[in-house]
Amino acid sequence: MKMFSSVLDGCELRYQNLSDNSLGEKGVGAFESLLKSQRSLEGLYLINDGISEAAARAVCELIPCTEKLKVLQFHNNMTGDEGAIAISELVKHSPALENVRCSSTRVASEGGVALAEALGTCNNLKKLDLRDNMFALPGCPNLNELNLSYLNLADEGCIVLANALRESATLLKVLEISGNEITAKAAPALPSLITSQRLLIKLNLFENELKDEGVDEIKDMFKALPLCWLHWMIMILKGEDYQESDEDGDENELES
């Protein structure tokens, strides 16, 4: 790793993808000279790298400038709260961020709050993936894709989320909230949320506990939405993959 780093030392890279390596803190240290030389990074990918809290701190300390950074991906690491706090400092100094993925990183409330506060300063953020963690939601007015699956939101969390999104993120195109144990109790909060998202094309409610009662609560919402929205949502509620079709028969079936 040190040899590879030294060969590239001094090269001005726009993207660094170091994913799928067992980096850890020592591995990050091996790339010290390369990371320190980067002042124009637009994308940094550290997916499935065994990034611990110490390794996350090392990454954030070594990169000298993130003003141009647009993509930051830390998926599937052992970052934890302390690592998330370190990442949040990097995020605060990355005003151009558009795409952040910090999913499956073992971050609990303390790190989640720090990261959420930092993300709240990212006015250009368009895509945010925080699944499989326990986070708060920042206000991101330009957000168009949000994945909060498998966070154990439950009914209370779903209602809070619905209220927050109606005010803080009205340009969503994709909303993923599968696997959150949402029941019919939270269903009444969904129609006003969805109808406030005029650009929405995908809503994923798969692996929740809505059942027939919950679906009945939101069926009027389906009637008010364009057919393309209806198709997406019915398929995903049933847990089926959406397959776009131009056949009139499919559309007629949905309309019925």
Side-chain angles (χ1 to χ4, degrees):
M1 290 184 181
K2 286 184 177 180
M3 183 181 298
F4 180 76
S5 177
S6 63
V7 169
L8 292 174
D9 188 10
C11 295
E12 191 168 298
L13 304 176
R14 292 175 57 197
Y15 299 92
Q16 283 191 22
N17 190 339
L18 302 176
S19 301
D20 297 316
N21 289 292
S22 299
L23 291 180
E25 185 179 7
K26 291 183 178 179
V28 171
F31 283 99
E32 178 177 357
S33 60
L34 177 61
L35 292 172
K36 280 186 173 181
S37 67
Q38 302 308 308
R39 296 186 174 275
S40 300
L41 272 184
E42 295 182 25
L44 178 61
Y45 301 81
L46 294 167
I47 299 170
N48 194 31
D49 273 332
I51 300 293
S52 62
E53 295 178 351
R57 286 196 298 269
V59 169
C60 299
E61 290 169 0
L62 290 174
I63 299 177
C65 180
T66 58
E67 289 184 359
K68 297 182 179 180
L69 194 66
K70 295 181 179 180
V71 180
L72 177 63
Q73 300 214 356
F74 264 88
H75 171 67
N76 196 27
N77 284 294
M78 302 176 290
T79 312
D81 278 348
E82 292 300 321
I85 291 171
I87 293 170
S88 70
E89 291 302 313
L90 185 149
V91 169
K92 288 177 183 177
H93 294 90
S94 306
L97 272 176
E98 296 180 357
N99 182 334
V100 175
R101 187 182 185 192
C102 197
S103 49
S104 301
T105 48
R106 304 184 184 182
V107 179
S109 57
E110 184 180 359
V113 169
L115 191 55
E117 290 176 350
L119 289 167
T121 68
C122 299
N123 294 326
N124 295 309
L125 194 63
K126 297 178 180 178
K127 184 174 181 179
L128 177 61
D129 187 347
L130 301 176
R131 79 184 93 174
D132 198 18
N133 284 297
M134 301 297 286
F135 288 161
L137 181 70
C140 302
N142 295 317
L143 196 64
N144 58 40
E145 184 169 336
L146 179 61
N147 192 326
L148 295 175
S149 299
Y150 305 102
L151 290 178
N152 295 316
L153 291 175
D155 291 333
E156 183 178 359
C158 178
I159 294 170
V160 170
L161 174 66
N163 292 335
L165 289 178
R166 280 200 304 270
E167 301 296 330
S168 63
T170 58
L171 301 178
L172 286 177
K173 294 181 179 179
V174 176
L175 176 58
E176 305 256 4
I177 49 175
S178 58
N180 275 304
E181 300 182 9
I182 299 169
T183 73
K185 182 179 179 181
L190 294 175
S192 59
L193 164 63
I194 303 309
T195 53
S196 72
Q197 305 296 327
R198 63 183 185 277
L199 302 180
L200 193 71
I201 57 173
K202 181 181 178 183
L203 168 66
N204 192 341
L205 290 166
F206 185 46
E207 289 189 335
N208 281 296
E209 303 296 330
L210 288 171
K211 300 184 179 179
D212 290 343
E213 181 184 356
V215 174
D216 286 343
E217 285 279 354
I218 57 178
K219 65 183 180 182
D220 290 338
M221 171 186 73
F222 292 154
K223 295 177 182 178
L225 297 177
L227 183 61
C228 59
W229 292 13
L230 177 60
H231 199 166
W232 272 105
M233 286 187 276
I234 286 180
M235 294 300 104
I236 294 171
L237 275 167
K238 290 181 177 178
E240 301 171 7
D241 291 331
Y242 170 72
Q243 298 292 333
E244 186 173 0
S245 174
D246 293 326
E247 297 180 9
D248 293 338
D250 290 345
E251 293 187 359
N252 291 334
E253 181 180 350
L254 284 170
E255 288 173 343
S256 63

